[in-house]
Amino acid sequence: MDVLQLITLLLLVSAGISYINQRFIKLPGTIGIVAISVVISVIIVIVGKTNNELAAKIREASDSMNFSSILLDVMLGFLLFASALHFDYQKLRKQQWPVFALSTLGVLLSTFLFGIFLYYLAGLFGINLPLIYCFIFGALISPTDPIAVGSILKRSKISEKLSTVIAGESLFNDAVGLLVFILLLELVQKPGVVISFNTIAGLIIHEVLGGIVIGLAIGYVGYMLIKSIKDFQTILLISIALVLGISMLAGYFHASVPLVAVTAGLIIGNNSFHEDKVSDDFLLRIWKLIDEVLNTILFVMIGLQMVAMPFLREYWLLSLFAIMIILIARIISVSLPALFLLGKVNFNNLFILSWAGLRGGISIAMALSLPDSPYKEGILSGCYFIVLFSIIVQGLSLNKLITVLKDREA
């Protein structure tokens, strides 16, 4: 299947699922799209058992859609740039320490706790999963997904303070998760390698500092270019070109795409171009539309990944463990930084922060990028079910949880 056919198929399916949800089912956008996509995937799998030719064609189309590459190399920059463009930097500054603690210490704690808990629990039930792979699983599933979080928070009744902390954490914690993921993969792929201080420092300089510097440069250049004109078409073309340049430059300098995109988006989105703010409003509106369209396509892809994973049924027990453990690890990794920073824990806020920590496509993309091994399918299955659980179950119940907790406070 060529690129044009693949894009056409994705757009047709995305438009159809979005229409069905809005016209008949009326679930919140992200949740409805994922749920319908999963149902379609289940139907396809069932039909495929009786029609091998159809199943082969569907699997061929799914294989042509390199989810990991499409998301990490193409869509991620667009989605994160759009999210950061609409993020209020002044609100972020007020919550900078909670955001910093959760996006760094919280991810590291969650990775460690998830790995330890999964290793011993899997061992009790005779599931063979080496400790290093448990930690790798923890690293790719611990960061909350900015795309999933952002799409759910849009309709949430959560307080402004908590919303800023959750959204801010999700924007920045991918960089930490990716760093840990890369370091652990080095240990697996090169068994004799020793992770030294120089190795970690080099990664931080390239990925983190490099990402921030490139993001600052791209953001400043983009801002100055847009500020010098008022033609809407040119403004749109410049912004799209900047985002495409983010992936290219980040790849060339081995910098973090999430940090480059977020930094550039914050600079452009939090500075006014002209006194009449017409250009500002146009850019925000058009990128909100781009964000929503790409979100729809992304979550359709997540739901349809079930077709490409015929091994899911073989790892249901491991997946169940993974869901329970990530919830426990999330609660602990949120509580300890809060206790460290504030000296106390607000249990209502703790539960909201924990339950609002959604996982999404980035985790699946990282799992798909794992090198082939006897453990890849188990990790991928567990990751996929965690993502579905977080988007559908946690996403659907988040507002109810917030309402119950706020009523208790009253």
Side-chain angles (χ1 to χ4, degrees), residues 10-222:
L10 272 176
L11 288 175
L12 285 172
V13 173
S14 300
I17 290 175
S18 185
Y19 177 81
I20 291 169
N21 183 52
Q22 293 297 323
R23 181 71 175 83
F24 302 107
I25 301 176
K26 301 184 186 300
L27 283 171
T30 298
I31 300 168
I33 288 165
V34 172
I36 296 170
S37 301
V38 169
V39 171
I40 291 173
S41 291
V42 172
I43 294 171
I44 290 172
V45 171
I46 293 172
V47 171
K49 290 182 178 180
T50 58
N51 190 330
N52 292 329
E53 185 178 348
L54 175 63
K57 288 182 179 179
I58 294 169
R59 192 157 290 114
E60 179 189 350
S62 181
D63 291 338
S64 300
M65 184 179 64
N66 189 330
F67 182 89
S68 181
S69 178
I70 291 172
L71 176 56
L72 295 178
D73 297 337
V74 181
M75 295 180 70
L76 185 59
F78 280 88
L79 291 164
L80 291 180
F81 178 82
S83 297
L85 199 68
H86 294 85
F87 202 95
D88 191 331
Y89 178 69
Q90 296 306 319
K91 292 179 182 178
L92 181 62
R93 283 190 64 185
K94 292 178 182 178
Q95 306 300 331
Q96 59 183 332
W97 292 115
V99 169
F100 177 77
L102 288 174
S103 60
T104 54
L105 181 60
V107 172
L108 295 174
L109 271 172
S110 178
T111 299
F112 175 77
L113 292 170
F114 181 91
I116 291 293
F117 292 159
L118 182 63
Y119 176 71
Y120 284 105
L121 190 57
L124 285 175
F125 286 84
I127 300 173
N128 179 29
L129 193 61
L131 183 59
I132 185 65
Y133 280 94
C134 291
F135 285 135
I136 288 173
F137 193 174
L140 65 88
I141 204 65
S142 288
T144 55
D145 188 280
I147 299 121
V149 168
S151 59
I152 297 297
L153 287 181
K154 288 175 186 175
R155 301 194 179 202
S156 173
K157 299 175 183 177
I158 199 169
S159 69
E160 184 180 280
K161 179 179 177 180
L162 274 179
S163 177
T164 301
V165 172
I166 294 167
E169 173 202 2
S170 67
L171 280 175
F172 291 101
N173 63 11
D174 287 318
V176 178
L178 281 167
L179 277 174
V180 179
F181 181 72
I182 291 169
L183 286 170
L184 292 173
L185 272 185
E186 283 283 315
L187 293 176
V188 169
Q189 295 176 311
K190 302 174 183 177
V193 73
V194 176
I195 301 298
S196 64
F197 173 79
N198 290 337
T199 304
I200 297 173
L203 270 177
I204 291 174
I205 291 171
H206 278 97
E207 294 277 343
V208 180
L209 297 182
I212 293 173
V213 170
I214 295 172
L216 288 171
I218 289 179
Y220 178 75
V221 170

Side-chain angles (χ1 to χ4, degrees), residues 15 106 169 207 234 266 365 386:
E169 173 202 2
E207 294 277 343
T234 308
L266 286 173
I386 288 174

